[in-house]
């Protein structure tokens, strides 16, 4: 007598096995399709730079020439005016990216970490996820640069100030801020925030200082790219120099993508009448964001589709220019008179795409502050 089930008895079992196998194949197919969909999805990552025009606290710093920005100073700077300035900067940041706030915000003309931290707290930017990197610079007026970042999308792994020394007898100036960090867990960005010497005293007489600063920035970026030519480098700032100036090509090595340069200036693709600052009747682009050409390798996890920079010119940032015609930036001050506007500069914006691939320049080491010997605020 056989103990094995008959052929007719085995048929239900075979049928169940067939159904189960089909279900597994269908589940695997759906999983693969879901993974393919995730891989094909891209996020955007915006970077904003903004010269905020004199973001000072209300206290007199005995080590800085900032007395004019106190209640008793020439500009009658008050706590209420400072809070209003916070709200205006907050409005710009939140509106710049529409539904996607900028991952990085470079700022210049800020006095210290205290005023930046107070701004994050008073406006709700801290609750949104913004943190900051700032070092006190040797600038006589306390004019510093800083970087705000969304900590959920950008993990800082290092930062240091790059000192710009013009030599004996020359006035001290602000540093260039260098920050490196991993964006979206994909690849490392190397970011330099600049505010080059103003044209006060004459553009020709002061241009050598801007050229010298450009050389220092180029030495730094060249050293980064010498270690890895495909590094993602961002150079942003108020350069106090028109974007088409030969200074950028000669001393910084910047240019158009088709020029084969290491540092690409998307501002060079703007229309001829564009500008971030206005002097009399003339608009000029002093503020820009430059990127290394490796951003245009579209197989990278972080990339740009084309060299494009947008000037943020919301109507609330502008006012009618009754003297020279057209519009002009809605300033905080006109001379020493409080005007109640936003800034004498317009902000600028570039946008990256991010995919789910992991780049070769990932930095996984925990952040360690550089031994700069300088007071810094890094969160």
């Amino acid at each position: 007598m056989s103990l094995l089930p008959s052929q007719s008895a085995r048929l239900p079992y075979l049928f169940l096995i067939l159904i189960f196998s089909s279900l597994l194949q269908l589940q695997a197919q759906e999983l693969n399709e879901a993974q393919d969909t995730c891989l094909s999805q891209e996020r955007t990552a915006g970077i904003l730079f903004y010269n905020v025009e004199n973001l000072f606290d209300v206290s007199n710093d005995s080590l800085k020439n900032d007395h004019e920005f106190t209640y008793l100073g020439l500009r009658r700077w008050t706590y209420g005016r400072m809070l209003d300035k916070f709200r205006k900067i907050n409005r710009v940041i939140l509106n710049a990216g529409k539904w996607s706030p900028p991952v990085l915000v470079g700022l210049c003309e800020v006095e210290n970490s205290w005023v930046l931290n107070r701004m994050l707290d008073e406006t709700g930017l801290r609750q949104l996820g913004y943190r900051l990197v700032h070092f006190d610079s040797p600038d006589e007026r306390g004019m510093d640069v800083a970087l705000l970042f969304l900590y959920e999308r950008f993990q800082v792994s290092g930062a240091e100030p790059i000192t710009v020394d013009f030599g004996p007898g020359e006035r001290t100036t602000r540093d260039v801020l260098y920050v490196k960090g991993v964006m979206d867990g994909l690849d490392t960005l190397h970011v330099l925030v600049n505010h080059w010497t103003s044209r006060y005293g004459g553009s020709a007489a002061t241009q050598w200082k801007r050229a010298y600063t450009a050389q220092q920035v180029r030495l730094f970026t060249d050293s980064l790219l010498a270690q890895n030519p495909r590094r993602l480098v961002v150079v942003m700032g108020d350069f106090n120099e028109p974007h088409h100036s030969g200074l950028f090509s000669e001393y910084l090595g910047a240019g158009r993508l088709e020029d084969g340069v290491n540092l690409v200036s998307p501002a060079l693709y703007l229309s001829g009448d564009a500008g971030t600052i206005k002097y009399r009747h003339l608009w000029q682009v002093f503020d820009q964001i430059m990127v290394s050409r490796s951003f245009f390798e579209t197989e990278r996890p972080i990339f740009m589709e084309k060299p494009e920079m947008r000037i943020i010119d919301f109507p609330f940032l502008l006012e009618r220019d009754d003297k020279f015609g057209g519009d002009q930036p809605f300033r905080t001050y006109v001379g020493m008179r409080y005007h109640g506007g936003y800034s004498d500069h317009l902000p600028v914006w570039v946008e990256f795409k991010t995919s789910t691939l992991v780049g070769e320049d990932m930095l996984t080491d925990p952040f360690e502050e550089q031994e700069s010997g300088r007071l810094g605020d890094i969160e």
Side-chain angles (χ1 to χ4, degrees), residues 117-304:
N117 276 301
R118 195 57 185 262
M119 181 180 73
L120 295 185
D121 292 333
E122 291 286 346
T123 60
L125 286 173
R126 189 181 302 280
Q127 285 68 33
L128 192 60
Y130 282 102
R131 301 295 185 266
L132 67 93
V133 181
H134 166 266
F135 289 89
D136 278 325
S137 80
D139 184 78
E140 291 181 356
R141 294 184 61 207
M143 291 280 204
D144 298 343
V145 296
L147 184 74
L148 307 183
F149 61 95
L150 280 175
Y151 74 89
E152 289 186 351
R153 297 193 63 185
F154 188 79
Q155 287 74 50
V156 172
S157 55
E160 63 177 299
I162 304 171
T163 302
V164 180
D165 186 355
F166 296 130
E170 296 293 338
R171 294 178 60 180
T172 56
T173 190
R174 44 259 177 185
D175 302 316
V176 176
L177 174 62
Y178 167 64
V179 180
K180 61 181 175 181
V182 177
M183 180 179 284
D184 289 341
L186 298 174
D187 211 344
T188 299
L189 265 61
H190 302 263
V191 183
L192 290 91
V193 187
N194 298 256
H195 186 196
W196 293 1
T197 302
S198 76
R199 301 157 84 86
Y200 182 77
S203 60
T206 56
Q207 192 178 57
W208 73 269
K209 293 185 176 181
R210 293 186 292 278
Y212 177 80
T213 308
Q215 289 176 321
Q216 302 309 302
V217 173
R218 183 171 186 176
L219 286 172
F220 194 90
T221 57
D222 282 353
S223 68
L224 291 174
L225 295 173
Q227 298 170 44
N228 182 354
R230 302 184 70 217
R231 275 182 164 165
L232 300 174
V233 180
V234 179
V235 180
M236 67 173 85
D238 170 10
F239 298 94
N240 274 304
E241 192 77 20
H243 65 299
H244 50 69
S245 167
L247 182 149
F248 291 107
S249 58
E250 182 177 356
Y251 295 101
L252 191 58
R256 292 174 175 263
L257 180 61
E258 54 268 29
D259 295 335
V261 294
N262 286 331
L263 198 61
V264 177
S265 172
L268 293 174
Y269 298 85
L270 292 169
S271 63
D273 59 349
T276 62
I277 190 169
K278 188 178 183 184
Y279 178 68
R280 296 183 178 176
H281 66 281
L282 180 65
W283 280 97
Q284 296 186 87
V285 180
F286 278 12
D287 309 82
Q288 59 170 311
I289 302 173
M290 293 171 274
V291 298
S292 56
R293 67 181 299 106
S294 49
F295 274 104
F296 301 97
E297 301 171 8
T298 54
E299 75 277 7
R300 297 292 296 268
I302 303 172
F303 64 95
M304 289 184 75

Side-chain angles (χ1 to χ4, degrees), residues 328-348:
Q328 63 183 0
F330 185 19
R331 309 171 58 132
T332 304
Y333 279 89
V334 177
M336 291 291 177
R337 179 175 60 85
Y338 182 70
H339 193 53
Y342 286 75
S343 174
D344 54 351
H345 288 247
L346 296 178
V348 293

